[in-house]
Amino acid sequence: MRAPRSVFACTSCGAQSPKWLGRCPDCGAWNSFEEEVATPAPPVAGPMRGSPGRPGAQARLYADVDMVQAERISTGIGEFDRVLGGGLVPGSLVLLGGEPGIGKSTLLLQAAARFAQQTGPVLYCSGEESEHQIKGRGERLGVGQAPLYLLAETCSERILEEVQRLRPALLIVDSIQTVYSTTLQSAPGTVGQIRETATQLLFAAKSGNLPTVLVGHVTKDGALAGPKVLEHVVDTVLYFEGERHHTHRVIRAVKNRFGAVSELGVFEMTGSGLQPVPNPSALFLAERQPGAPGSAVLCCMEGSRPILVEVQALVSSSVYGSARRTTNGIDPQRLALLLAVLEKRAGLNLAGEDVFVNVAGGFTVDERAADLGIVAAVVSSLRNKPVRDGTAMFGEVGLAGEVRATGQSLLRVREAAQMGFTRCIVPMGNARPAAPEEPGGGCTVVGVRAVADALDEVIGWD
Ligand code: TYD
Ligand code: MG
């Protein structure tokens, strides 16, 4: 039988089919199939057989395996190290995703310069900008004297030749979608090319113990472009988030083989590049107007770090038949649920009210402990009564109107105390009074059982 000369591959998961399909049967994506030149399947079990350098590895008894503490190399940028779980691990492959213009190249150039100064030579390969463009940006970022090599190249074999020649201590490839391998005929950015080049870079990273950072584009709906296989191949996946009209940027780890996920690094985009923000609470509360109705401060956790954010709500009577609920930074479904709880358990009538909820500063809160803050902001706006002075809060609201305990309550209270809050409304299950010598000692902890009690404490409603 003659092998087909072209196949259709799903751009989101890499599934292949001999003919075009409107919907991928594997991942369910619509209109994701693209035609590619077929490549013969690699012999035997594929490129992942055996670990690099030790093709014939044998199984070993668990007890005989030595414990090796993964060594960490600092990138020179504290917030970047934090999301990586303490720094780069030698031989690890890191994927940094984010929308165009968010600051991926800026951050990596800054990290490359610091790394080159502190640790050793860095090879920065760019398929998107020329060396002159990179240099132009580097001048603004104050790169200075460092063994930083720039290479405007998109052929992966050429990149690996330069790696062999220069023996860098860090390799950066901006972006994986622009790189192609001469072993395939398809265009850069196709599923086959991304899979092939990422695998080549993976082997180079593992065999040379070379930490490698890849930049990945994201698609319109926010997922990393290219096949999902890319996320499986790499050790760490980081996402760069932020809104265009805000200056702050957040990096989140969504996968990390060497550390905790949901760790967060916060930066601010300035005229001289990205500056780390060591105290994000201060940034997110900077423009708050204490005493304004409809504003509540909640203590959320991002990884191991507590962050205070302001939730704003505006409740106004609806002029249309059906009331609108609009959110920014929280899940709209969660708001709908909390409004239903307020109607049923706290006796409020919100059916004829438009409700708008916004997390200030463009931050996104994805945590149940945010419920109490959302509820407080909504009721504060509805009653036109400000939240009591110096009050912060956290807690999950259940369907029966109960306030449920959450994790890491002490850290949250401490952060509130450090930011100058004097009262913290917490679930009764978390209301262990903070000992005076603890840093949270300056903050009165008020435990509440039900959402109605919480509202009483927060805005003194009746
Ligand atoms: P960039 O790193 O090119 O984004 P990406 O690689 O993710 O596509 O980010 C460029 C944006 O950042 C651009 O809109 C300008 C802005 N910027 C600053 O505000 N200050 C700076 O010092 C630099 C270098 C860029
Ligand atoms: Mg870029």
Side-chain angles (χ1 to χ4, degrees):
M1 200 179 82
R2 196 168 59 89
R5 260 183 277 133
S6 72
V7 289
F8 291 85
C10 170
T11 49
S12 100
C13 73
Q16 293 193 339
S17 155
K19 61 181 185 0
W20 188 85
L21 297 174
R23 186 177 192 217
C24 174
D26 277 17
C27 71
W30 288 95
N31 201 15
S32 60
F33 274 79
E34 277 182 13
E35 189 169 6
E36 277 190 20
V37 181
T39 42
V44 211
M48 293 304 287
R49 105 195 88 108
S51 49
R54 289 192 305 141
Q58 283 186 343
R60 289 165 76 194
L61 204 57
Y62 176 84
D64 294 344
V65 178
D66 301 328
M67 175 79 188
V68 182
Q69 196 68 42
E71 180 195 340
R72 301 281 178 173
I73 316 169
S74 169
T75 58
I77 299 179
E79 290 290 299
F80 196 23
D81 288 348
R82 168 194 280 277
V83 256
L84 289 166
L88 286 163
V89 175
S92 68
L93 196 58
V94 178
L95 179 64
L96 176 65
E99 287 179 16
I102 197 105
K104 302 181 292 295
S105 309
T106 305
L107 177 71
L108 289 179
L109 190 59
Q110 284 180 284
R114 298 272 182 91
F115 191 96
Q117 273 160 5
Q118 293 175 4
T119 313
V122 177
L123 177 58
Y124 185 107
C125 305
S126 178
E128 310 201 330
E129 290 155 312
S130 69
E131 286 107 340
H132 305 291
Q133 281 173 305
I134 303 172
K135 173 119 190 173
R137 171 181 312 158
E139 290 302 295
R140 281 216 277 152
L141 303 176
V143 166
Q145 288 297 318
L148 169 61
Y149 295 90
L150 303 179
L151 176 66
E153 179 60 69
T154 53
C155 171
S156 64
E157 284 81 13
R158 273 291 302 136
I159 292 174
L160 294 176
E161 271 173 37
E162 283 299 282
V163 169
Q164 286 302 324
R165 188 175 73 85
L166 295 167
R167 300 246 160 235
L170 171 66
L171 171 66
I172 293 172
V173 179
D174 187 1
S175 63
I176 188 72
Q177 278 87 0
T178 58
V179 181
Y180 72 96
S181 164
T182 49
T183 58
L184 301 182
Q185 288 170 348
S186 43
T190 52
V191 180
Q193 285 287 8
I194 291 178
R195 189 190 297 138
E196 175 63 24
T197 49
T199 312
Q200 284 184 4
L201 291 166
L202 174 77
F203 274 87
K206 299 290 171 203
S207 59
N209 227 11
L210 169 68
T212 304
V213 183
L214 310 178
V215 170
H217 289 177
V218 294
T219 57
K220 291 185 288 306
D221 37 343
L224 273 163
K228 272 270 178 268
V229 69
L230 192 55
E231 289 191 35
H232 297 302
V233 165
V234 300
D235 297 305
T236 305
V237 180
L238 308 179
Y239 268 98
F240 220 131
E241 297 172 1
E243 286 187 28
R244 245 164 235 280
H245 44 275
H246 287 291
T247 55
H248 82 265
R249 302 279 182 270
V250 170
I251 304 185
R252 280 175 207 275
V254 289
K255 162 181 171 179
N256 196 350
R257 288 193 183 137
F258 305 108
V261 288
S262 78
E263 246 350 307
L264 194 88
V266 185
F267 294 89
E268 200 168 0
M269 183 60 100
T270 67
S272 54
L274 286 155
Q275 301 300 330
V277 176
N279 186 353
S281 298
L283 177 74
F284 293 123
L285 295 183
E287 283 162 279
R288 191 172 70 99
Q289 288 188 312
S295 152
V297 174
L298 71 90
C299 321
C300 58
M301 290 298 297
E302 288 292 345
S304 60
R305 171 199 277 192
I307 296 182
L308 299 190
V309 291
E310 181 192 1
V311 188
Q312 296 181 319
L314 188 66
V315 180
S316 69
S317 46
S318 177
V319 288
Y320 300 109
S322 62
R324 285 199 293 170
R325 277 88 176 83
T326 307
T327 65
N328 225 329
I330 63 160
D331 177 13
Q333 301 290 339
R334 194 75 198 156
L335 176 66
L337 184 147
L338 292 173
L339 295 183
V341 171
L342 282 180
E343 292 231 355
K344 266 275 193 253
R345 311 287 171 202
L348 296 174
N349 185 5
L350 293 156
E353 312 282 348
D354 286 339
V355 180
F356 306 93
V357 177
N358 179 29
V359 179
F363 195 69
T364 304
V365 184
D366 180 21
E367 210 196 4
R368 292 286 160 88
D371 292 353
L372 209 51
I374 298 167
V375 164
V378 168
V379 178
S380 163
S381 174
L382 179 73
R383 293 283 160 105
N384 209 18
K385 261 185 139 179
V387 167
R388 281 194 188 151
D389 231 19
T391 303
M393 67 209 75
F394 63 88
E396 179 185 343
V397 173
L399 291 185
E402 80 279 19
V403 179
R404 294 171 160 257
T406 60
Q408 286 146 316
S409 60
L410 198 60
L411 277 178
R412 299 177 201 253
V413 174
R414 268 186 209 166
E415 179 73 5
Q418 263 167 18
M419 292 305 297
F421 288 85
T422 49
R423 282 169 85 238
C424 201
I425 314 297
V426 310
M428 193 55 98
N430 291 130
R432 189 174 70 88
E437 68 275 13
E438 284 179 0
C443 189
T444 316
V445 175
V446 183
V448 290
R449 279 188 208 289
V451 72
D453 306 343
L455 292 172
D456 201 19
E457 289 293 343
V458 173
I459 58 170
W461 79 332
D462 30 85

